[in-house]
Each structure stands twice: as C-alpha cells, then as structure tokens.
Amino acid sequence: MFADRVLSGMRPTGRLHLGHYHGVIKNWVQLQSEHECLFMVADWHALTTNYDDVGVIESSLWDMVIDWLAAGVDPAQATIFIQSKVPEHAELHLALSMICPLGWLERVPTYKDQIEKLSHKDLATYGFLGYPLLQAADILVYKANRVPVGEDQVPHVELTREMARRFNHLYGREPGFEDKAIASIKKLGSKKSKLYQQMRTRYQQEGDDEALDAARALLADTQNLSIGDRERLFAFLENKGRVILPEPDALLTAASRMPGLDGNKMSKSYGNTIALREAPESVSKKVRAMPTDPARVRRTDPGDPAKCPVWQLHQVYSDEATREWVVKGCTSAGIGCLDCKQPVIEGVLKEQQPMFERAQKYLDDPTLVKAIVADGCERARKIANDTMKDVREAMGLGY
C-alpha cells in the first residue's frame, strides 16, 4: 500500500566518532541497499538543546555529511537532506500539535531522562517538550514504514504510531467516502472492478483472508490509480476510513558494542572518543595512552583482559587468533600492554583508511557535498509535499 521506506537522522552537534559509525552509520550502509532510505541532518532537533549555541550546528553540519559519505552512505542509493530545508516538517509538526494531548509528550521516558542529564541547561521550553512530536512529523511526512532505532527510542516510534492512528481516526473518514470509493473502483476497469468487489465481499462476509490478500495484490499491481484512489480502495476493503498517515514500525538495531578509550561507552560527554576521521598519529597516541588492568604495575606482572579497556576494543577490531594471543600473553605476562595495544591501533587505522579515501574528493571540492544535499532536499521535499497535500485536504485546509 505504501512505499517500503526508511527514515533516520542525526543531529549536527559536533564531530562524529567511531561510536556513531558502529552504532548508526554502519547500519545505514546496509539498509540503503535493501530499502528506499532517507537520511536527515536534524538541524531543528539540534536547536532543542543547543538553542543558545547555534554556531556548533553550522560548523558541524557539512563535516557530518562528509563523514556519512566517507563511511559509505551512497547518494545514488539514499536521499541525504537537511531537515530545515524541507519546511513541510514544520507544517506537519504544527498540524499534529493541534491534536496531540499534552500528557502524551510528558510521558515520553527520554524527556525526563534528558532533563536530568542536561540539568545545567534551561530546557523548560516547548521545543524540548515537543521534540518527540517533531520526530513523529519527520517520519510521517515521508510515510516511512521503518525507523531504525535502539531500545531507548522505541517509545518515540510508539508515539508516532499513536499520532498516526489519532490523525486517521479524526480525518480519515472523508465526507462522501463510500461514494468516492465506488468512483475509485470504476477506475480499475470492468474486469478488475468485478474481481475487487467479489474479493471484498468474500472477505467482509466470510472472513476470507486469502481474498483480502488477493485484493490488496490487485490494487498494488494496478498502475493507473492515483495515490488517493489506491489508499481509499485499500481502506474500503476492510470498511475502514482512509489511511492518510501510515503507522511506522520500529526497526530495532543492535546496541553499539563500541567502547570508549576508558572502557565506558564511547561518548563526547565522556571525552573518550576517536573521531571518524582522526589523524593516524592521534589514533596511535590515544590508544597507547589507554589505561589497562591496574594489576599490571610492572611488565612482568600478569593481567586479566576482562579488567582492561583495551580488551573491549579487541572484541571489535581483532580476529579470534589475535584475541587468543592477547589472553595468553596478558595472563602470563608474555606480552606488555603496548604490545597488546598495537593490533587495536592497526585495526582502527585499517577501518578508517577507506573513509579518508572517500572523504578526500569532498574535501577537495566542497561544492560536491552541497550539490548532493541540494538534490536530496529536492527529492525529499517532493515526497513531503505530496503528503501535506493529503493532510491539508483532510484537515479542511485544501483551499
């Protein structure tokens, strides 16, 4: 009924690091070859917490897009765009705010969590309270049916589903729906119209799920229907109102295994990151300076890899043979800590090398990046505008 479409985004609030790559972008690279993907620079979302420091947004935006391209996001396969350059996001956000109960926003778990974590900031703003609704608009304006998220973001997708259901309940039963549906059936042609009616009757009177599936397939294969006619006939099959905004599903992604230089999760706030395109000499210096098992005071002291942050990086970058060498050498004091760190350094540099190579042409000619984004904004806006035509009409604003 709707396109198989993925929507995801990131806020431009600083340099990307290897935690972003392993937690988000690596998954994007896989998804872009399997689905229609839209990847968004979420600059309006950045303002929800950085409204008093907007300089970081502009300075980070283009570097972030280059990082995406360097990491393997392919503009020939995916649409890369900037949220604020598609004003339909803001329009749908405003429309949804008219029907969103305040309590739905206040109960989002991450709202209270972020208030506590960012207690040094004044976040008693509508923008911060309403950012999950803006996220819902981001998704629904493209009628995306898949949203890659971690477990902590599932409540945001559920809010999006609730908003879609509420919108469709309020506005999906358009005036004269049945008459319009009958008119849409006639557009199928005499043979297909008869088949559609027969299968609809079998499903509604006998509960025949095979008839429902066959009718859906018939509609999907019919090329001469408008989007509105198609949606109306899908809804008419089950005696439902028209689905204007489809409910998306959360596409759960595995939690990032990327540890920081101190053993905690890699995060800018912990100061334990390796940037996506960090200079090789800086990578080497940072890894060599990593803390190790406190029991290894002297070179001859045996250690326990499980107590060493470097071991966590071996889980990401080393093969089984290297990990066996580390365990044997560390527990017997057969290798020193600098010996142990060298394969990690080599693994990180090997991962980064193609990123540097892909990034270079965009660094040499920044107009290439801006052209990619301009094209992506144009494509994204076309989809969003089609959605907003339906939304405006449903809300009585189609004049």
Side-chain angles (χ1 to χ4, degrees):
M1 181 175 179
F2 295 99
D4 183 20
R5 185 175 290 149
V6 171
L7 185 282
S8 191
M10 295 179 70
R11 304 192 314 159
T13 56
R15 293 181 72 189
L16 297 191
H17 52 68
L18 292 176
H20 293 117
Y21 174 67
H22 286 273
V24 179
I25 306 174
K26 199 173 181 179
N27 185 46
W28 285 5
V29 173
Q30 180 179 341
L31 287 172
Q32 70 184 1
S33 63
E34 300 170 351
H35 310 279
E36 178 188 355
C37 289
L38 295 102
F39 298 135
M40 172 182 73
V41 177
D43 53 344
W44 271 330
H45 281 295
L47 285 172
T48 60
T49 54
N50 288 75
Y51 60 84
D52 56 348
D53 183 21
V54 296
V56 69
I57 298 173
E58 185 176 1
S59 64
S60 301
L61 190 153
W62 297 108
D63 273 344
M64 184 174 81
V65 174
I66 291 175
D67 279 339
W68 291 359
L69 297 168
V73 174
D74 183 357
Q77 292 184 288
T79 297
I80 300 171
F81 71 100
I82 298 172
Q83 181 187 30
S84 66
K85 300 302 181 186
V86 184
E88 286 80 4
H89 286 251
E91 184 182 359
L92 183 55
H93 176 221
L94 178 62
L96 295 178
S97 73
M98 302 300 177
I99 64 171
C100 180
L102 191 59
W104 287 14
L105 298 175
E106 293 172 331
R107 77 182 189 208
V108 175
T110 51
Y111 173 67
K112 292 182 179 179
D113 291 344
Q114 289 293 303
I115 286 284
E116 292 174 4
K117 288 179 181 177
L118 301 173
S119 58
H120 60 288
K121 286 182 172 285
D122 178 10
L123 296 179
T125 63
Y126 167 71
F128 187 72
L129 175 65
Y131 84 88
L133 190 62
L134 179 56
Q135 283 186 330
D138 296 334
I139 297 163
L140 296 175
V141 81
Y142 298 106
K143 299 187 178 182
N145 64 333
R146 300 172 189 268
V147 185
V149 292
E151 286 282 357
D152 61 328
Q153 290 290 308
V154 170
H156 292 251
V157 180
E158 186 53 40
L159 174 68
T160 303
R161 291 172 59 85
E162 289 176 337
M163 287 307 306
R165 284 195 293 269
R166 184 169 173 81
F167 187 93
N168 293 330
H169 173 71
L170 288 171
Y171 305 114
R173 182 60 76 171
E174 58 190 332
F177 173 78
E178 188 164 338
D179 290 339
K180 290 180 180 179
I182 291 171
S184 297
I185 292 173
K186 293 178 181 177
K187 297 178 184 179
L188 292 170
S190 59
K191 184 177 180 180
K192 287 187 175 180
S193 294
K194 186 176 180 180
L195 280 172
Y196 175 88
Q197 293 278 36
Q198 289 174 345
M199 289 184 285
R200 178 175 180 269
T201 300
R202 280 169 51 195
Y203 171 69
Q204 292 192 6
Q205 293 186 3
E206 303 168 25
D208 188 337
D209 288 334
E210 289 185 4
L212 176 63
D213 291 340
R216 286 172 171 168
L218 182 148
L219 293 176
D221 291 340
T222 302
Q223 302 299 316
N224 64 329
L225 288 177
S226 69
I227 294 174
D229 285 326
R230 196 183 309 275
E231 291 174 3
R232 194 174 289 116
L233 291 180
F234 272 112
F236 195 54
L237 275 174
E238 301 177 71
N239 259 348
K240 294 180 178 178
R242 180 183 169 199
V243 177
I244 302 166
L245 299 176
E247 297 178 34
D249 290 319
L251 191 61
L252 281 174
T253 57
S256 171
R257 298 186 300 120
M258 191 64 195
L261 294 165
D262 57 0
N264 292 309
K265 179 181 178 180
M266 188 172 283
S267 170
K268 286 179 290 186
S269 60
Y270 296 149
N272 63 358
T273 65
I274 296 174
L276 209 67
R277 291 179 285 129
E278 186 137 349
E281 57 273 17
S282 178
V283 171
S284 180
K285 182 178 179 180
K286 283 185 173 182
V287 175
R288 285 175 175 271
M290 284 181 66
T292 56
D293 180 0
R296 296 207 72 180
V297 179
R298 292 177 295 275
R299 167 67 176 75
T300 54
D301 293 332
D304 180 356
K307 297 178 181 178
C308 177
V310 180
W311 174 246
Q312 296 180 44
L313 288 175
H314 275 292
Q315 303 297 316
V316 178
Y317 288 106
S318 298
D319 58 22
E320 186 175 352
T322 302
R323 291 197 294 269
E324 289 178 358
W325 170 78
V326 168
V327 171
K328 182 178 179 181
C330 180
T331 55
S332 66
I335 61 172
C337 291
L338 288 178
D339 299 323
C340 174
K341 292 172 179 178
Q342 189 57 38
V344 169
I345 294 171
E346 293 171 1
V348 173
L349 296 181
K350 182 179 179 181
E351 180 175 70
Q352 289 180 315
Q353 184 56 40
M355 298 183 190
F356 279 108
E357 293 172 359
R358 293 190 198 104
Q360 193 58 51
K361 68 176 180 179
Y362 302 111
L363 296 171
D364 292 341
D365 185 1
T367 62
L368 293 174
V369 185
K370 296 194 175 183
I372 287 169
V373 172
D375 180 62
C377 290
E378 185 178 344
R379 280 188 278 166
R381 191 163 190 195
K382 185 178 185 303
I383 300 170
N385 189 50
D386 286 344
T387 299
M388 289 312 301
K389 285 178 182 177
D390 291 340
V391 169
R392 295 183 201 112
E393 181 183 344
M395 297 184 79
L397 303 173
Y399 40 80

